[in-house]
Amino acid sequence: MANNKLTIDLTNENKEALEQIKQEYRIPYGNTVNQLIKTFAAISEETKDELLKFLQYNIKKIYNDIDNVDSYMFRVLSAKLEDYLNMAKFFNGGKSIYDTKSFTQKTLKTIRIKDGILIYPSDYIVLNPEIASSSMYAGVVECRNSVKYGEEHFGKPIPHFMFFCNKKYSSEYDAYFCQNINRLCVDVWPEFQVIIDNQVEPIDDPDKPYLIKNVEEWEAAPTIGYFAIYVQGDSKYPPDYVPVDGAKIIR
Amino acid sequence: MFKKMKKTDIPSTIEEGDLFPGKELEKNRFNAADLKDYFDEGVPIWVWYSLENKSRNEDGKVNYHVLLAYERGVREDFNVFYKKNDYILRCVMSGSVDNPYLLIIDIWKYSNRTALDIYHEEFPDAYKVFADIKKNTYKMKSVPCLLAEEEIAKKLMKHTKIHFMIDDYKNIEV
């Protein structure tokens, strides 16, 4: 072997790890270091990218699941996450990839609709996929206080529901249309009936014009909202409009 | 009796071991699960950011937390993280050596994810980390939070963290 001797500073635990490998497997320090460099540092850019993608996927998955685990599993998953982060940092040129915004960014899906494609977040519950190909537009059901009300009553946030239709704007949704959408929501998510039963109508205060008498009760209610999904390039929206949750229709 | 807070009262250097008799944690062996356990047990965790001893992080980049401290005119910054009710508070130590007190600068809703975020975002820049096992931190003088608990709860429904600037406290008498 060439005489390429270097003096390097090791952390205590890395020194212990090298010593352990030497003791257990009788592999000299130099061989371990050389093998590690060959295995991880000297790999092709393509392999590096593939590994990085795998690590990013797993890191995101653990990050999004971590709130649903108890102490023992937290220890297991957080250690795994740290291993993945360390590897990813190495393949990413020493730069940490810990980025809470990208971890929680919604994954988008696409579906073909009449004369276009709809892009929507994967956690939206689709109410009537069977009419997607004959529908020009789509809309979303969102409840006010969805996180707070949902956590308090169902132990989870109220999800978003998406429906296909042939109405471009929400101003075209009439009461009958909304009732049908509500029925579809109950079909796929029975808890939605509780939300329907707990709608609060705002009552005008006769003594104070323009004010709502039951404002506190009304603000705390899970008021159901129906919103049309943006059609890219629609002149009714500003040119720099950013679609909510990334949901949009492309013609 | 009361002393108005002045930026210039903040000590420029503090000797190691002066103020934090807590147990020093070996940074390389201390992990996110340990941090969560300390939070659950109500043990405050002190973090020492030091321009003198760690002006750059492990990647060789300028230590962001030190930079923030430097902007406040301090070379050594001491932050404490602890759990209170359902929240994690981050306080900076302010005042003078004779009259130190804590100012809340960040509030998170406590969850497993918060423990992970704090561990991965706030600790890598630290020069040293201490666990205040005896919980002496709770005996320290602190400035009341600028928001009521209901307001905090409301804000944290939409945001992961509430941040206060040191200047937000400028009219508060301590």
Side-chain angles (χ1 to χ4, degrees):
Chain A
M1 188 180 276
N3 186 14
N4 294 323
K5 290 197 187 297
L6 286 175
T7 305
I8 52 170
D9 287 326
L10 292 171
T11 59
N12 290 341
E13 71 266 31
N14 283 347
K15 185 169 174 268
E16 281 169 26
L18 269 181
E19 282 167 350
Q20 201 180 340
I21 291 168
K22 190 180 179 186
Q23 263 187 359
E24 268 184 45
Y25 305 105
R26 296 180 181 280
I27 302 173
Y29 301 144
N31 288 24
T32 306
V33 173
N34 279 315
Q35 184 65 42
L36 281 171
I37 294 170
K38 191 180 167 193
T39 311
F40 293 104
I43 57 173
S44 73
E45 284 302 312
E46 199 183 336
T47 315
K48 213 183 267 185
D49 284 348
E50 279 172 11
L51 285 170
L52 199 53
K53 274 184 194 151
F54 165 83
L55 293 166
Q56 279 166 332
Y57 174 83
N58 283 287
I59 289 166
K60 192 172 175 178
K61 192 170 181 325
I62 293 176
Y63 189 80
N64 284 295
D65 291 345
I66 203 92
D67 270 344
N68 302 318
V69 302
D70 290 326
S71 299
Y72 283 102
M73 193 46 86
F74 179 83
R75 195 163 273 279
V76 173
L77 289 181
S78 62
K80 200 184 242 191
L81 182 97
E82 190 156 5
D83 289 343
Y84 287 154
L85 282 167
N86 284 336
M87 284 189 254
K89 188 176 174 179
F90 185 78
F91 295 129
N92 195 36
K95 201 177 157 206
S96 170
I97 65 154
Y98 197 88
D99 176 9
T100 54
K101 271 189 189 156
S102 78
F103 293 162
T104 51
Q105 214 164 40
K106 291 189 177 184
T107 314
L108 297 174
K109 286 171 89 171
T110 57
I111 188 167
R112 250 182 204 290
I113 59 168
K114 194 177 177 185
D115 295 338
I117 288 172
L118 167 66
I119 300 173
Y120 66 100
S122 57
D123 61 350
Y124 280 15
I125 297 176
V126 183
L127 296 176
N128 50 1
E130 67 284 357
I131 64 162
S133 59
S134 59
S135 303
M136 289 286 286
Y137 304 104
V140 172
V141 179
E142 182 184 78
C143 298
R144 194 170 56 193
N145 303 314
S146 62
V147 177
K148 189 168 183 259
Y149 195 92
E151 295 284 358
E152 282 172 9
H153 292 80
F154 317 119
K156 57 191 169 190
I158 304 167
H160 285 84
F161 302 91
M162 187 176 78
F163 53 88
F164 297 100
C165 61
N166 279 306
K167 297 176 191 294
K168 189 172 183 181
Y169 299 112
S170 54
S171 55
E172 297 166 40
Y173 304 162
D174 56 21
Y176 177 72
F177 179 86
C178 293
Q179 270 173 21
N180 275 333
I181 296 297
N182 285 354
R183 191 176 44 77
L184 291 173
C185 290
V186 175
D187 286 348
V188 296
W189 204 69
E191 294 96 323
F192 201 81
Q193 189 59 51
V194 178
I195 297 165
I196 296 171
D197 296 341
N198 285 284
Q199 293 299 292
V200 173
E201 285 299 318
I203 303 165
D204 291 335
D205 190 335
D207 300 328
K208 297 169 189 161
Y210 311 114
L211 291 180
I212 296 169
K213 204 174 176 181
N214 57 343
V215 65
E216 280 182 17
E217 198 190 347
W218 178 69
E219 278 185 346
T223 309
I224 306 169
Y226 309 88
F227 306 91
I229 287 181
Y230 165 73
V231 180
Q232 189 165 284
D234 185 345
S235 57
K236 279 202 173 185
Y237 291 82
D240 56 351
Y241 179 74
V242 179
V244 180
D245 286 348
K248 63 181 174 183
I249 292 168
I250 302 172
R251 298 267 179 239
Chain B
M1 189 163 71
F2 292 106
K3 186 176 176 184
K4 190 154 186 175
M5 185 174 66
K6 284 183 198 161
K7 272 187 189 175
T8 47
D9 284 343
I10 299 165
S12 59
T13 54
I14 290 173
E15 290 301 314
E16 186 175 341
D18 255 6
L19 290 153
F20 314 110
K23 172 185 152 193
E24 185 181 342
L25 302 171
E26 203 177 325
K27 266 190 75 195
N28 292 325
R29 294 187 198 274
F30 170 65
N31 57 38
D34 296 335
L35 179 66
K36 184 184 172 309
D37 286 347
Y38 281 127
F39 282 156
D40 289 338
E41 288 161 20
V43 173
I45 301 292
W46 281 90
V47 179
W48 180 355
Y49 301 110
S50 170
L51 178 72
E52 215 67 59
N53 298 295
K54 195 178 178 188
S55 59
R56 291 185 179 271
N57 60 27
E58 275 78 12
D59 306 341
K61 299 188 180 73
V62 175
N63 184 330
Y64 173 72
H65 289 87
V66 161
L67 207 63
L68 285 182
Y70 198 60
E71 276 180 6
R72 284 174 48 218
V74 290
R75 297 167 72 83
E76 313 285 330
D77 206 8
F78 297 92
N79 291 186
V80 60
F81 297 81
Y82 62 95
K83 184 169 174 274
K84 189 175 182 189
N85 302 331
D86 287 340
Y87 304 103
I88 297 293
L89 307 184
R90 178 215 199 115
C91 300
V92 288
M93 201 173 70
S94 202
S96 62
V97 177
D98 303 331
N99 180 32
Y101 50 86
L102 300 173
L103 297 178
I104 300 167
I105 54 163
D106 287 318
I107 305 173
W108 293 262
K109 174 99 178 141
Y110 182 49
S111 68
N112 288 347
R113 201 182 268 184
T114 307
L116 268 189
D117 287 346
I118 292 174
Y119 175 77
H120 287 288
E121 293 185 328
E122 313 298 341
F123 284 59
D125 280 352
Y127 167 53
K128 289 193 175 185
V129 180
F130 301 86
D132 178 10
I133 309 280
K134 290 181 181 165
K135 303 181 184 177
N136 288 326
T137 304
Y138 296 110
K139 295 176 196 158
M140 281 186 76
K141 206 189 306 183
S142 62
V143 177
C145 185
L146 297 171
L147 291 176
E149 193 156 348
E150 291 135 29
E151 289 174 285
I152 293 169
K154 205 172 169 185
K155 275 185 187 273
L156 289 177
M157 296 298 290
K158 286 188 177 173
H159 306 280
T160 48
K161 179 169 90 170
I162 299 171
H163 178 68
F164 300 102
M165 308 293 282
I166 298 293
D167 279 355
D168 293 339
Y169 290 95
K170 65 184 171 193
N171 295 320
I172 308 279
E173 296 271 333
V174 180

